Amino acid sequence: MQYFIERVRDLPKLLNSHHLRESEQVKLAVICRFPRGGEAALAIVSHLGSDHEEASLFVFKLNNLNPPVLRLVEIAPLTPDLTTTLAQTTSGNSAEDSLGLSRTEFLLTVSPPNHKDIILRTVHSLDIHDILSEIKRLQHIHGVSPNRLCTLAPHPSLVGERVAQHSWISHYVSIIDLIAPHRPKWDYQNHLRPEFPPTHLSDASAGMNGDEESDINLLRDAWIRHQLRIREAEFSTKHNISIRIGTFNVQSKPRKDRLSTGCQMGELDTSAEGLLYSSTTVKEDLWYQAILRDMGEVSRSYHKLVSKQLVGMLIIVLVRKELRAHISSISTASAGVGFLNTLGNKGGVALRIQIRDTTLCLVNSHLAAYDEMAEKRNLDYRELCRRLSFPLLAATPAEAANSPPGTAPIFDCDCLFWMGGMFMDAEVRALLNESGNLRYDALLTYDQLLWQQSEGNCFSGFVESRITFPPTYKYATGPAETLYDVRRRPAWTDRILHWSPLECAIPQSYSSHPIISISDHKPVSARFTVQLRSIKWDQFRTVFEELLDLISASEIEDVTPRIDIDRVEIYLGALSYDTPKSVDIQLKNTGEVAAAFRFIAHQPGGTIGQCRIFHLIVGTYLFPAAPSWLSITPNSGFLLPGSALTIKMTACIDRTSAPLFNVPAKSPNILETMILHVEKGKDHFFVIDGSFVRTCFATDLATLSMLPTVVRDFKGVVPSTSQQEGLSAPREFLRMIQWLMTNALNVENLFTARGNKKISRTIREALDTGEDLPTLDQPVLGVEGKSVHTISWSETCLSVADTLLEFLGSLTEPVVPFVLQENCARVTNRAEAFEFLRSLQPISANVIISLTAFLHFFLQAQRSEATNPNHIASVFSSLILPDPEPPAPRLSPLTKRGFFLHFL
């Protein structure tokens, strides 16, 4: 560190200009060394804004660069209870300075209250004595008044605990080195995965910057996480293992079937490194012995790792014996959510296992039963997420001495498996035996768990493999154990889901085992390949410190960050319906310091979805940073000096945003101003210009029926019914019905198989412009690269059918208004169904009559059993009778289908 040794007197100036605010200044500083090597700087920093003089000891880590890089690693407020000792190193050790001269080395020990000692070595005896004298003087000034005591605050969790004075140091806490000599490994691992739950950026809009300090810290932390992911190969290696998971509600019945045969957990899966069994039984030992017995000789290769039981819920983990040596941490948890959220008849048991340096969590739950208890199940799920937590135990005595014990929620892991009885009943009984060619994808549209999950009420972010087996509940007991109990609706209540933000779990299989018949449930199993990570912690710390050094080198107080942008006027041109168009914008940090940025709203109000930084979830804004039809990736970030970033703006006007520009809106023109805010810097304004190509989609039946021409040619104001008489139904709808009646009656899988999206866009364009639809004489041409080919006629028909479905689904007002949908549930026969049509507007009634007339002829012409009235009714009833927004009541899928069937 010759650069420093020769310029010790310049050190205060360097620290003042690069690392401190104007309200603080360095009084004295000295070059030191850490006990394990590495240069350091010890400084007394004084705060200028107090009624009395306040100061703290700051310890910086120095890097041998020119100019030097200093990183703040410790803070010790100078209070009366801080002690210091100075002693010559053992055996009179000496050190050489930059001139090669031998100098006596001293050992300085600083002992703050309630914190580990700070130990430094130095050869600068005069400077260190000056610092010690100043410490004594400041401690004397500070006095011994209790309201002036201050706890050392090297981490945010300690700030504010007893701080009456020295509150100014909280500004520097966030930039303290995250790498401590005895920091527990779980703290390191949190930087290798996305933060969960997402931390919110502060609310901000034009003229209201929000909490910039907090936002900078969050954006900086997200940048570190992203960089660690990019450089992960430098400090980690990957290993794959196989995990088999089984869940079985045994209903306390005696075991009489071989689990290994039914669940394929023994002879048929001997390669799995981990076997996980979850069940609801109080007889753990009996079931564990049964599992081993049924596994046969293979059981000798496995070891029972851990189990956890709560009343009738049990989870057991078996691992291969050779894997046991790589498991370093095991903890368990349980929570009851039965009566008063305490009884254990409902609830969950959980395990947390660290294999190598990958953490797996496993939850076995038993939730409330019955269809009408959906909200209770959602509450139970949220309660389990809140209450299931694991103790974090120190791996070494050093960790135990320097880190307080903590807890980890179930989402503090690399992969979370959730299994057990979800009791999400589905309305599928009437569909199970309608066709020999059973389509579970169609039945699953009635599954309550999938409904609740899609609405964000439970299991958000979880993934379930494709279900290819029949409902696992409720089976009749007795001689006919393969038949469903007529008193309950069949349902997929036994499920296995997984959550893996880094996608380290790859599903391999998912199946049920109907051979086992000891319960009214059937067991379900899943197999995963899980990618484990082994971290070389020395290399990790090296990479981590390099990233922190890059940040520290660019943190200069009172220097305004600066970002240059290659364009501020963005012309999107003509935007077609549901057709994305992207524009790239280049950002570059041309300033001297790091720059954190985010897009902000014009004014407070509204909400937007999750904000992603470098594909890592950072949080949500209270205020919308962009209109609903525009996505910005990333819409916030962190740039070091000299670095650049590409922002992608993608405009896509779909069924939700098209009504803003479509007929009868006043203008199709698009003109938006976006604001990019540089934290502690200036705002940049983008002007987005374009126009929407109007379409018959995403409008309402009444407006389309009143247009005197096709929508693309229409200009002006839509005439009212008093000015002219409209069409009986929209011309575009009637054209599709007529075309399908003429060309597609004999096409198999119409409305069940998907067409070609590009052809659907071509058909939509023809509807909007009035051009001819495809014919056998003039088929649609497809282009792949430089080759041109004719699209098959069946694919063209499927694409027209898709276009009809999209048209009905995009209507801004449903064919049957929401206020009348409850009346559909009272319709019991065909006569009442047609009587109901009298309550609709004539246009809506005509649409239903025209549509069902075509479908009647279509079903008569079909010879395939795969196309049947029930399935067709299921497809169209969800479009004619869409669900209203919560909390408005909604019809069940079977009720909708039954109503529509009356017309067929």
Side-chain angles (χ1 to χ4, degrees):
M1 292 297 294
Q2 181 175 353
Y3 180 87
F4 284 114
I5 298 300
E6 294 176 351
R7 300 183 59 187
V8 172
R9 298 186 183 280
D10 292 337
L11 186 56
K13 179 180 179 181
L14 178 66
L15 294 173
N16 282 325
S17 61
H18 283 70
H19 296 273
L20 302 179
R21 300 177 298 185
E22 291 183 354
S23 56
E24 285 82 47
Q25 68 175 11
V26 174
K27 302 193 67 175
L28 294 171
V30 62
I31 297 296
C32 303
R33 291 183 65 84
F34 293 108
R36 297 184 180 182
E39 301 292 335
L42 176 66
I44 295 180
V45 177
S46 177
H47 178 59
L48 307 178
S50 304
D51 295 337
H52 59 278
E53 190 172 5
E54 286 186 357
S56 296
L57 286 178
F58 280 38
V59 180
F60 296 88
K61 182 176 181 179
L62 308 180
N63 280 2
N64 191 15
L65 300 173
N66 190 354
V69 173
L70 300 95
R71 178 155 36 88
L72 182 62
V73 295
E74 295 282 3
I75 301 177
L78 291 180
T79 58
D81 42 1
L82 178 142
T83 62
T84 59
T85 58
L86 182 68
Q88 189 173 330
T89 54
T90 307
S91 303
N93 289 342
S94 61
E96 292 185 354
D97 63 13
S98 59
L99 301 178
L101 300 177
S102 178
R103 304 173 67 175
T104 302
E105 187 174 62
F106 293 89
L107 193 68
L108 172 65
T109 302
V110 179
S111 301
N114 304 321
H115 197 266
K116 68 181 189 300
D117 290 347
I118 301 171
I119 302 175
L120 298 169
R121 299 160 61 182
T122 182
V123 296
H124 299 283
S125 57
L126 295 178
D127 292 316
I128 202 67
H129 279 95
D130 289 343
I131 283 183
L132 292 176
S133 299
E134 183 64 13
I135 289 175
K136 291 181 179 179
R137 187 187 71 83
L138 291 167
Q139 286 181 310
H140 178 72
I141 293 175
H142 194 274
V144 294
S145 175
N147 69 336
R148 292 184 177 180
L149 294 180
C150 175
T151 299
L152 177 68
H155 297 291
S157 60
L158 299 178
V159 174
E161 185 177 336
R162 293 174 55 207
V163 178
Q165 306 296 323
H166 291 91
S167 60
W168 53 274
I169 65 173
S170 62
H171 168 78
Y172 300 98
V173 167
S174 63
I175 58 178
I176 286 180
D177 188 358
L178 297 175
I179 300 292
H182 305 297
R183 188 174 175 85
K185 287 183 179 179
W186 66 70
D187 280 353
Y188 298 148
Q189 291 171 325
N190 288 334
H191 290 279
L192 298 175
R193 62 174 78 108
E195 190 175 21
F196 190 91
T199 304
H200 288 205
L201 295 174
S202 66
D203 303 333
S205 60
M208 192 185 82
N209 294 336
D211 187 346
E212 292 191 310
E213 287 287 351
S214 174
D215 292 341
I216 290 173
N217 294 336
L218 291 173
L219 296 170
R220 179 175 51 207
D221 187 63
W223 179 85
I224 292 175
R225 292 172 188 266
H226 176 65
Q227 294 298 319
L228 287 172
R229 289 286 297 156
I230 292 175
R231 300 179 59 177
E232 189 173 359
E234 298 180 33
F235 55 80
S236 70
T237 55
K238 302 295 180 61
H239 317 266
N240 287 341
I241 65 168
S242 175
I243 295 182
R244 167 75 72 171
I245 299 175
T247 179
F248 190 14
N249 187 327
V250 300
Q251 290 289 297
S252 300
K253 299 295 177 61
R255 187 191 64 83
K256 62 182 180 181
D257 291 326
R258 287 179 57 84
L259 295 180
S260 57
T261 301
C263 292
Q264 302 180 10
M265 294 179 179
E267 297 89 347
L268 300 182
D269 193 31
T270 59
S271 62
E273 283 84 355
L275 300 178
L276 290 83
Y277 299 77
S278 71
S279 64
T280 52
T281 173
V282 297
K283 302 176 181 179
E284 174 184 348
D285 293 338
L286 292 177
W287 278 98
Y288 173 60
Q289 294 301 325
I291 291 169
L292 294 182
R293 185 166 57 251
D294 287 347
M295 289 175 66
E297 293 294 323
V298 178
S299 64
R300 297 181 179 181
S301 302
Y302 286 88
H303 164 80
K304 179 183 175 181
L305 181 68
V306 63
S307 65
K308 182 66 176 177
Q309 182 175 348
L310 174 67
V311 189
M313 284 161 285
L314 168 68
I315 184 169
I316 305 175
V317 176
L318 287 78
V319 299
R320 280 190 173 273
K321 293 180 178 179
E322 59 266 28
L323 189 63
R324 182 62 184 88
H326 300 290
I327 298 175
S328 59
S329 176
I330 304 170
S331 52
T332 65
S334 63
V337 294
F339 182 66
L340 297 179
N341 268 345
T342 55
L343 291 186
N345 62 320
K346 304 295 182 184
V349 290
L351 306 174
R352 190 176 196 265
I353 305 170
Q354 182 169 321
I355 311 178
R356 298 186 185 270
D357 291 305
T358 296
T359 302
L360 306 180
C361 287
L362 307 118
V363 177
N364 174 27
S365 68
H366 191 62
L367 306 181
Y370 302 108
D371 296 5
E372 63 274 12
M373 300 296 286
E375 184 55 35
K376 178 62 168 68
R377 283 187 286 274
N378 294 335
L379 292 174
D380 289 350
Y381 164 78
R382 291 192 287 268
E383 188 70 10
L384 289 176
C385 290
R386 183 181 68 86
R387 291 172 53 197
L388 288 174
S389 61
F390 307 95
L392 293 176
L393 303 178
T396 65
E399 282 190 8
N402 291 278
S403 300
T407 59
I410 56 175
F411 288 99
D412 186 9
C413 63
D414 297 292
C415 189
L416 168 61
F417 297 97
W418 196 306
M419 66 209 81
M422 311 301 181
F423 278 99
M424 298 291 186
D425 292 346
E427 298 180 321
V428 299
R429 175 185 308 285
L431 307 177
L432 284 172
N433 299 314
E434 289 175 352
S435 172
N437 183 18
L438 201 58
R439 314 172 79 96
Y440 293 118
D441 288 343
L443 303 186
L444 284 165
T445 60
Y446 302 96
D447 180 64
Q448 194 181 90
L449 173 58
L450 297 180
W451 296 353
Q452 299 295 328
Q453 191 177 15
S454 65
E455 293 179 357
N457 296 327
C458 63
F459 294 102
S460 296
F462 280 80
V463 176
E464 182 179 22
S465 298
R466 184 169 177 262
I467 293 178
T468 58
F469 49 86
T472 58
Y473 177 81
K474 174 180 176 138
Y475 282 82
T477 57
E481 290 180 327
T482 59
L483 300 178
Y484 291 104
D485 189 331
V486 297
R487 294 169 297 178
R488 294 290 295 273
R489 290 173 176 162
W492 285 278
T493 63
D494 309 281
R495 313 287 273 267
I496 300 173
L497 299 88
H498 74 281
W499 174 87
S500 179
L502 298 180
E503 300 181 352
C504 61
I506 304 172
Q508 302 295 338
S509 65
Y510 192 33
S511 58
S512 69
H513 305 277
I515 297 176
I516 297 179
S517 56
I518 65 174
S519 169
D520 54 5
H521 290 253
K522 298 300 180 183
V524 172
S525 67
R527 180 170 176 165
F528 297 86
T529 296
V530 177
Q531 191 176 68
L532 303 179
R533 178 170 49 201
S534 292
I535 297 175
K536 303 168 186 175
W537 290 105
D538 289 340
Q539 286 90 326
F540 172 84
R541 291 187 182 95
T542 299
V543 173
F544 203 122
E545 289 188 350
E546 288 178 6
L547 298 176
L548 294 178
D549 287 344
L550 289 173
I551 293 175
S552 297
S554 63
E555 289 185 332
I556 305 174
E557 292 293 339
D558 302 320
V559 175
T560 301
R562 177 178 175 181
I563 285 180
D564 285 353
I565 304 172
D566 67 339
R567 67 166 90 178
V568 294
E569 295 182 357
I570 302 169
Y571 181 65
L572 297 174
L575 294 176
S576 298
Y577 175 77
D578 204 23
T579 304
K581 181 179 287 188
S582 298
V583 176
D584 289 343
I585 301 169
Q586 299 296 323
L587 306 185
K588 185 173 183 180
N589 186 341
T590 57
E592 301 178 50
V593 297
F597 69 89
R598 62 186 291 196
F599 283 87
I600 60 175
H602 293 256
Q603 56 187 3
T607 60
I608 69 166
Q610 289 176 324
C611 154
R612 295 180 179 270
I613 298 177
F614 303 110
H615 309 292
L616 299 180
I617 298 177
V618 168
T620 59
Y621 297 161
L622 177 62
F623 307 144
S628 60
W629 50 268
L630 183 67
S631 64
I632 306 173
T633 308
N635 60 10
S636 54
F638 188 82
L639 285 174
L640 296 178
S643 60
L645 179 68
T646 299
I647 299 288
K648 183 177 289 294
M649 287 189 175
T650 302
C652 184
I653 300 181
D654 56 17
R655 65 173 66 177
T656 60
S657 52
L660 299 173
F661 312 102
N662 213 0
V663 176
K666 292 183 178 180
S667 172
N669 295 329
I670 297 171
L671 187 62
E672 288 286 343
T673 302
M674 302 297 300
I675 306 173
L676 184 142
H677 173 67
V678 180
E679 306 287 3
K680 297 188 176 180
K682 70 176 225 179
D683 291 342
H684 298 266
F685 295 85
F686 297 85
V687 176
I688 300 177
D689 189 11
S691 61
F692 177 62
V693 180
R694 284 176 162 173
T695 176
C696 61
F697 289 72
T699 186
D700 62 274
L701 297 175
T703 296
L704 291 175
S705 66
M706 293 303 298
L707 296 182
T709 181
V710 293
V711 66
R712 193 68 56 79
D713 294 341
F714 177 74
K715 310 292 183 184
V717 180
V718 178
S720 64
T721 54
S722 61
Q723 294 174 313
Q724 69 175 49
E725 184 177 351
L727 302 174
S728 61
R731 60 173 56 82
E732 297 83 2
F733 168 79
L734 295 176
R735 287 185 69 189
M736 287 186 284
I737 292 295
Q738 181 61 42
W739 192 96
L740 291 169
M741 180 74 79
T742 304
N743 298 286
L745 289 180
N746 296 315
V747 176
E748 293 186 357
N749 300 319
L750 199 71
F751 304 116
T752 60
R754 300 307 305 269
N756 185 302
K757 288 186 177 180
K758 292 183 178 179
I759 302 176
S760 295
R761 290 195 185 102
T762 301
I763 295 166
R764 188 171 63 220
E765 183 71 11
L767 295 173
D768 291 338
T769 60
E771 297 177 358
D772 293 335
L773 295 174
T775 63
L776 285 172
D777 297 331
Q778 294 182 333
V780 179
L781 299 179
V783 179
E784 292 184 5
K786 296 182 179 180
S787 62
V788 179
H789 64 279
T790 301
I791 300 296
S792 68
W793 187 243
S794 62
E795 189 173 8
T796 300
C797 293
L798 293 177
S799 301
V800 175
D802 279 354
T803 308
L804 174 61
L805 296 178
E806 170 63 22
F807 174 83
L808 293 173
S810 72
L811 292 173
T812 56
E813 296 289 339
V815 177
V816 177
F818 293 126
V819 295
L820 297 178
Q821 288 190 10
E822 285 192 59
N823 297 337
C824 297
R826 303 186 184 96
V827 173
T828 60
N829 54 56
R830 180 178 174 84
E832 290 180 1
F834 276 91
E835 183 64 27
F836 171 80
L837 294 184
R838 295 178 179 273
S839 63
L840 301 179
Q841 292 293 327
I843 299 170
S844 297
N846 291 337
V847 165
I848 293 178
I849 292 172
S850 300
L851 175 63
T852 54
F854 157 69
L855 292 176
H856 175 76
F857 286 108
F858 167 70
L859 290 170
Q860 286 186 327
Q862 288 295 301
R863 299 179 180 179
S864 172
E865 293 183 358
T867 304
N868 60 74
N870 289 310
H871 183 63
I872 294 298
S874 297
V875 171
F876 281 94
S877 63
S878 62
L879 301 175
I880 299 299
L881 298 163
D883 290 331
E885 293 293 329
R890 57 182 61 181
L891 300 180
S892 71
L894 280 181
T895 300
K896 295 179 184 180
R897 193 188 72 171
F899 170 78
F900 198 81
L901 278 172
H902 292 309
F903 297 97
L904 300 183

